Amino acid sequence: AQTVTQSQPEMSVQEAETVTLSCTYDTSESDYYLFWYKQPPSRQMILVIRQEAYKQQNATENRFSVNFQKAAKSFSLKISDSQLGDAAMYFCAYRSWSQGGSEKLVFGKGTKLTVNP
Amino acid sequence: DAGITQSPRYKITETGRQVTLMCHQTWSHSYMFWYRQDLGHGLRLIYYSAAADITDKGEVPDGYVVSRSKTENFPLTLESATRSQTSVYFCASRVGTNTEAFFGQGTRLTVV
């Protein structure tokens, strides 16, 4: 079974600085998806960024980028120019590519990010 | 409004009572999911559905029942609520196999 590990329960960053959130995962599959979700205090789960494992290029969405290391099974999220609105819980998630296993997301336990003014 | 909505947003119920959490999506997405979120566990899959009248168990299905008679609705029923089912419940939907999931705003359920 796939597992996702976020080793940093909490992180903090100064406004306008850069922070990196770590995520590792365990799988025997070669094709899969990886996601970062943001959960602000409103509780809404918001997709931040997604990466297909077959793509070597790291995904980028504005101030958010990932460092995807397939061999190391690592998928870190970098937030540049941090803003107060980035404060939230961040969840790393894995989803299988295969038809039989693509039904569910496997989530890490989350990292709480605090942004200090 | 278009999207995925859950009701109620908050619910307090007593041990042993039956309670149903509602989920409605307006996109006609094929896939729908129920997750529960607990401190220290992240989100865990309870049940999912690939289409109307097709449902299957996830990681933590015990004590829950689902149905999907219509594509847009996916209610989750706790047949006899227990305190261990106190949690935040999220419904999600996805249009197909290779797309991302969209989440509802969650239902905070407290069982006393």
Side-chain angles (χ1 to χ4, degrees), chain B residues 69-88:
Chain B
S69 57
K70 294 184 178 181
T71 299
E72 61 267 30
N73 296 324
F74 191 39
L76 175 74
T77 297
L78 288 67
E79 293 187 299
S80 177
T82 65
R83 290 194 179 89
S84 65
Q85 292 177 309
T86 293
S87 187
V88 178

Side-chain angles (χ1 to χ4, degrees), chain A residues 33 35 37 39 42-45 47 50 91 95 97-100 102-110, chain B residues 9-10 31 33 35 37 40-43 45 48 88 90 94 97-101 103-108:
Chain A
Y33 302 91
F35 305 86
Y37 280 89
Q39 187 180 42
S42 68
R43 223 167 53 202
Q44 181 74 48
M45 293 288 287
L47 179 67
R50 113 183 202 161
F91 292 95
R95 181 154 70 82
W97 180 278
S98 63
Q99 188 71 28
S102 64
E103 290 79 9
K104 67 176 185 179
L105 285 164
V106 178
F107 285 87
K109 294 182 180 181
Chain B
R9 291 292 308 280
Y10 301 89
Y31 290 87
F33 309 84
Y35 290 87
Q37 183 179 24
H41 288 282
L43 281 81
L45 182 67
Y48 65 94
V88 178
F90 284 95
R94 200 174 80 217
T97 301
N98 297 327
T99 57
E100 57 260 33
F103 285 79
Q105 289 189 294
T107 295
R108 181 179 292 279

